[in-house]
Amino acid sequence: MALWGTIVNSLAIIIGGLLGMMLPRISTSIKNTVMQGLGLAITVLGITMALKTTQILIVIVSLVLGGIIGELLRIEYRLAQLGDWLQDKLTSASGGGRAATSVSEGFVTCTLVYCIGAMAVLGPLDGGLRHNHDILYTKALLDGFLSIIFASTLGIGVVFSAASVFLMQGTIALLATFIAMAFSQPTLDAMIIQTTAVGGLLVIGVGINLLQILKINVANMLPAILIAAAAEPFLHAVQSWLHP
C-alpha cells in the first residue's frame, strides 16, 4: 500500500501532539528554553541539509523565484488564516482555554518542519515505488517525539499539521510511479539533492523564527522547492538541445 508509511507518519504526529497536550502546563521560562533548544537543533539540521548541494546558483535562483511566487500567492498568510480559523472553531467548541491557544503558530511551524526535508520526499517516493516504508517509519518516530515537545509549548495546532503531512507525502507517494517513469535515476538523485538543499535553507528559517531572532516568511518560499526540483531536468533538456 503506497500510502501506508504516510498514514503511520500522520498518526504519529497526532498521537505525539495529544500526548504533549496532556503534559502539565509548563512555566514560561521552561517553554522559552525548550523552544530555543528546538530552534538551535532545527537550525543545525537545516545547515546539514543545505550543505549537500554543489549547485549554489540553482539554490539562489530557486529561493528568489520561489519567494516572489510565494509572496504573490500569499502562502504564509493563507496558512495563518487556516490556523486562525481552526483556533476560532476550537475556541467556540471549548469556550477558550489551553487547547484553543496558539493554533495558528503551532500549525504553521510544524507544517513547515514536518513537510520540508529529504525524508519527507524520499520516504513517500520509496513507499510509492517499492512499497518500502522504512524511511517513513523512521520519520514517524522523529516527528512523534517532536510533536510531544511542540504540543507542550505551542498547543493543539501541532496535531492539525498531520493533515498537511498526509496531503503532501500522500501526493508524492501516489505520483511516485509517474515521477520514476519520467526521469532517469541520476536525474532523480540530482533533483533530490537540490530540493534537500533548498529545503535545508527553509528549515534554517524555521529555526531562526523559533529563536525569535528575525521573522522570516518561510512559507512564502515553499515554491522554491518545486523550482529546485524542476531545475535539474530543465538544465538537462537545455544541454541536450545545445549539444544534440
Side-chain angles (χ1 to χ4, degrees), residues 13-71:
I13 293 171
I14 294 172
I15 294 171
L18 293 176
L19 288 175
M21 290 294 297
M22 294 178 186
L23 293 177
R25 182 181 291 275
I26 59 178
S27 66
T28 302
S29 60
I30 294 177
K31 174 182 176 180
N32 290 338
T33 301
V34 169
M35 294 306 295
Q36 287 169 356
L38 283 173
L40 289 172
I42 289 172
T43 301
V44 171
L45 173 63
I47 291 172
T48 59
M49 292 168 58
L51 291 176
K52 293 184 181 296
T53 184
T54 57
Q55 301 288 339
I56 190 62
L57 186 60
I58 291 179
V59 174
I60 294 172
V61 172
S62 298
L63 286 172
V64 171
L65 295 180
I68 293 173
I69 293 171
E71 285 291 339

Side-chain angles (χ1 to χ4, degrees), residues 105-133:
E105 183 182 3
F107 172 73
V108 174
T109 297
C110 290
T111 291
L112 294 172
V113 170
Y114 298 149
C115 291
I116 296 175
M119 296 179 81
V121 176
L122 288 173
L125 273 177
D126 208 23
L129 292 174
R130 301 190 297 137
H131 290 188
N132 185 328
H133 306 292

Side-chain angles (χ1 to χ4, degrees), residues 1-209:
M1 182 179 177
L3 293 178
W4 177 246
T6 296
I7 292 172
V8 171
N9 194 174
S10 301
L11 288 176
I13 293 171
I14 294 172
I15 294 171
L18 293 176
L19 288 175
M21 290 294 297
M22 294 178 186
L23 293 177
R25 182 181 291 275
I26 59 178
S27 66
T28 302
S29 60
I30 294 177
K31 174 182 176 180
N32 290 338
T33 301
V34 169
M35 294 306 295
Q36 287 169 356
L38 283 173
L40 289 172
I42 289 172
T43 301
V44 171
L45 173 63
I47 291 172
T48 59
M49 292 168 58
L51 291 176
K52 293 184 181 296
T53 184
T54 57
Q55 301 288 339
I56 190 62
L57 186 60
I58 291 179
V59 174
I60 294 172
V61 172
S62 298
L63 286 172
V64 171
L65 295 180
I68 293 173
I69 293 171
E71 285 291 339
L72 293 174
L73 295 177
R74 304 178 72 189
I75 297 175
E76 182 121 2
Y77 171 75
R78 297 183 192 283
L79 280 176
Q81 267 194 325
L82 179 57
D84 291 338
W85 178 80
L86 291 171
Q87 181 165 325
D88 290 339
K89 293 298 181 181
L90 287 173
T91 303
S92 301
S94 63
R98 185 186 179 200
T101 61
S102 302
V103 174
S104 179
E105 183 182 3
F107 172 73
V108 174
T109 297
C110 290
T111 291
L112 294 172
V113 170
Y114 298 149
C115 291
I116 296 175
M119 296 179 81
V121 176
L122 288 173
L125 273 177
D126 208 23
L129 292 174
R130 301 190 297 137
H131 290 188
N132 185 328
H133 306 292
D134 290 346
I135 296 176
L136 286 182
Y137 290 156
T138 304
K139 183 174 182 289
L141 285 173
L142 295 173
D143 291 352
F145 282 117
L146 274 177
S147 292
I148 295 175
I149 300 172
F150 274 127
S152 66
T153 55
L154 293 178
I156 199 171
V158 174
V159 175
F160 291 107
S161 67
S164 303
V165 171
F166 181 80
L167 287 174
M168 192 205 81
Q169 293 182 180
T171 301
I172 293 175
L174 293 175
L175 293 176
T177 303
F178 302 100
I179 294 173
M181 291 173 58
F183 304 108
S184 65
Q185 189 60 46
T187 301
L188 191 60
D189 291 340
M191 290 168 64
I192 290 173
I193 289 174
Q194 299 309 324
T195 56
T196 298
V198 173
L201 290 175
L202 300 190
V203 169
I204 293 173
V206 174
I208 291 174
N209 285 342

